[in-house]
Amino acid sequence: MEQAFQVDLRGVVDLLSRHLYSSPRVYLRELLQNAVDAITARGGAGGTVRIETGGGRLRVHDDGVGLTEDEVHRLLATIGRSSKRDELGFARHDFLGQFGIGLLSAFLVADEIEVETRSARAADAAAVRWTGLADGRYRVEPGGRDEPGTTVTLRPRPGSAELLEPAVVGELARAYGSLLPVTVTVDGVEITGDGAPWLAAHPDPARRRRALDAYCRELFGFEPYDVIDLDVPEAGLTGVAFVLPHAVSPTARGAHRVYLKRMLLAESVEGLLPDWAFFVRCVVDAGELRPTASREALYEDELLESARRALGERLRQWLVRLAETDPVRLRGFLRLHRLGVKAMALHDDEMLRIVDRWLEFETSAGPMTLAEFRRRHAEVRYTASVEEFRRLSAVAGAQGVGLVNGGYVHDTEIIERLPDIDPDVVPRRLEPAELTTHFGVVDPAAELALRPFLAAAQRAVERLGCEVVIRDFDPASLPALYLTSRAAQHQQELSQAKEMADDLWSDVLGALNNAVESDRPQLVLNHRNPLTRRVTALTEDGLIELAVQGLYGQALLLGQHPLRAADTAVLNRSFLGLLDWAVHNPEAGS
């Protein structure tokens, strides 16, 4: 035998309060929404919603379509059966409500809901009073309103009285209903304005901008750097985006104020804009986007995705227009929000041109745009990390090799995309070892005389997997430079992993290590440096070993290279050895 489910209304209300709605404060939004839907269903222009507080209760009056007794039984006593709502005309496209559970939200703040209503569909319709209780019971009796429309009365449950206080009700009514196309009053004070501020008429653009700036200060608490108009017809969306006047983290989630059919959905809606558009805060009203069941967020569907792309395109167009009409203002914007613009440039050629022309990158010749760098250097060489750039920029610049720091967020990807807008450029990541090809070679006679020293120096660092060479290069203040190729780094990492692995993995890593072509790091001694020349003049093997190992450690530290255990041991040994030698040879400092 089939039986109907028994609904525990207290359990449903508990479910709503704990899992659907974020706060019981939404009760007033739901009451406003039902009132506006009723006015819309009546079909007349305008309409009024009157909210009254005091006397330990809250009353919400509307002059909408009202309900007959039969409709009261079918609509107010039914939970979740949307077809009944459809039959009564409350599920049409132009209504705010979608889920038929709005009235239940009143049980979040009250144990009893009283609805007095008279239908406007028939002149002789009788007034009806419906009283619903939180325990699941309800009663219907004659009486109530003299005019068509509906009045909802709430008496607060223990602990909820504050939410029905006049100040709180006024605040909630203004927040949720200030843009509604009907007149809303709270205790006789009208809280609805002249509609969406971004659609208001103004004598000139300057006064409109001042009005929108004031609106932004009121809502978000900041003076916008700029204001961008938004319009997505397919989503029935209009609004404005306020550009933040200060830098924010690109990981910050943009929280936007969203209205649906002029009723506030939420003040902190995420997912409205692409992730890269973290530099704006929006206020929009949309007629076609769908809310989630709680009506506190947007439902993720194809229309929202399409609207998100369209809004991103509007922001991109604003930047392009700014580049063409106000370069000074664009530079100011880029100083604040460079990360967002760089994120756009990864996929958009027009934005890449803006970045290329206006955004400064760190280079070996100082900050400059990529366009200016290409005018100065035939080749675009870059490093993929900040540490590598800092190690090599001074040396590269001294040899006339232009170098761009690609180590910051998105910079390498942008540099590698340059051929998309300039086919003549071929970006290439700098191989550190290739710098030696730009160094001067030592005079053949001097190099011949240095062979005994170089042999001893090589022995000093042989077990460190390093090769010693001597060159003549700038800056002369640099005594030695440690250069390693990416292949050498890989080989070194394999060797370190092999030392730490068990027997099985050690054999596997050993096979890989053997498969890598031998490519050793180089300790390049600068013959132009006075200290290095004095070191090369040493003849005692023990002292040469200490001095070369000291230069090796200093080159690692100066280049910010990671130190292995063997490197640290050599660095300590050379320091203590040289110190001991200096103490026992007081004439060494003369």
Side-chain angles (χ1 to χ4, degrees), residues 441-452 527:
V441 295
V442 180
D443 178 80
E447 186 173 12
L448 182 63
L450 289 172
R451 282 185 178 179
H527 195 255

Side-chain angles (χ1 to χ4, degrees), residues 25 39 102 122 147 162 387 419 443 482:
R25 294 163 65 91
I39 292 171
E147 300 295 329
E162 181 183 350
E387 293 76 14
D443 178 80
Y482 182 83

Side-chain angles (χ1 to χ4, degrees), residues 27-33 35-36 48-54 57-62 150-154 163-178 180 182-192 263:
Y27 83 91
L28 190 65
R29 181 194 64 192
E30 300 296 333
L31 295 181
L32 271 176
Q33 179 170 284
V36 174
T48 300
V49 179
R50 293 183 296 110
I51 302 174
E52 297 174 352
T53 65
R57 65 183 182 179
L58 173 76
R59 295 170 64 86
V60 179
H61 311 271
D62 70 65
T150 300
T151 297
V152 179
T153 302
L154 305 181
L163 293 173
L164 274 66
E165 290 289 333
V168 175
V169 171
E171 174 196 344
L172 294 176
R174 287 183 181 86
Y176 287 119
S178 61
L180 286 172
V182 302
T183 300
V184 180
T185 64
V186 178
D187 293 332
V189 178
E190 184 174 350
I191 58 95
T192 42
M263 173 74 78

Side-chain angles (χ1 to χ4, degrees), residues 49-114:
V49 179
R50 293 183 296 110
I51 302 174
E52 297 174 352
T53 65
R57 65 183 182 179
L58 173 76
R59 295 170 64 86
V60 179
H61 311 271
D62 70 65
D63 53 5
V65 68
L67 301 171
T68 65
E69 181 176 349
D70 180 57
E71 290 169 344
V72 164
H73 282 285
R74 288 190 289 154
L75 180 61
L76 300 186
T78 301
I79 298 174
R81 189 180 300 172
S82 60
S83 60
K84 293 298 183 184
R85 188 174 175 85
D86 295 351
E87 293 169 11
L88 298 175
F90 283 92
R92 294 210 317 266
H93 171 272
D94 48 351
F95 294 130
L96 300 171
Q98 297 287 330
F99 300 95
I101 58 175
L103 191 61
L104 288 180
S105 67
F107 283 123
L108 299 177
V109 297
D111 285 325
E112 179 179 301
I113 304 173
E114 182 182 273

Side-chain angles (χ1 to χ4, degrees), residues 565-588:
D567 297 330
T568 303
V570 164
L571 186 61
N572 290 335
R573 178 179 177 276
S574 63
F575 172 76
L576 294 175
L578 289 172
L579 186 61
D580 181 69
W581 184 86
V583 169
H584 287 86
N585 294 271
E587 296 181 0

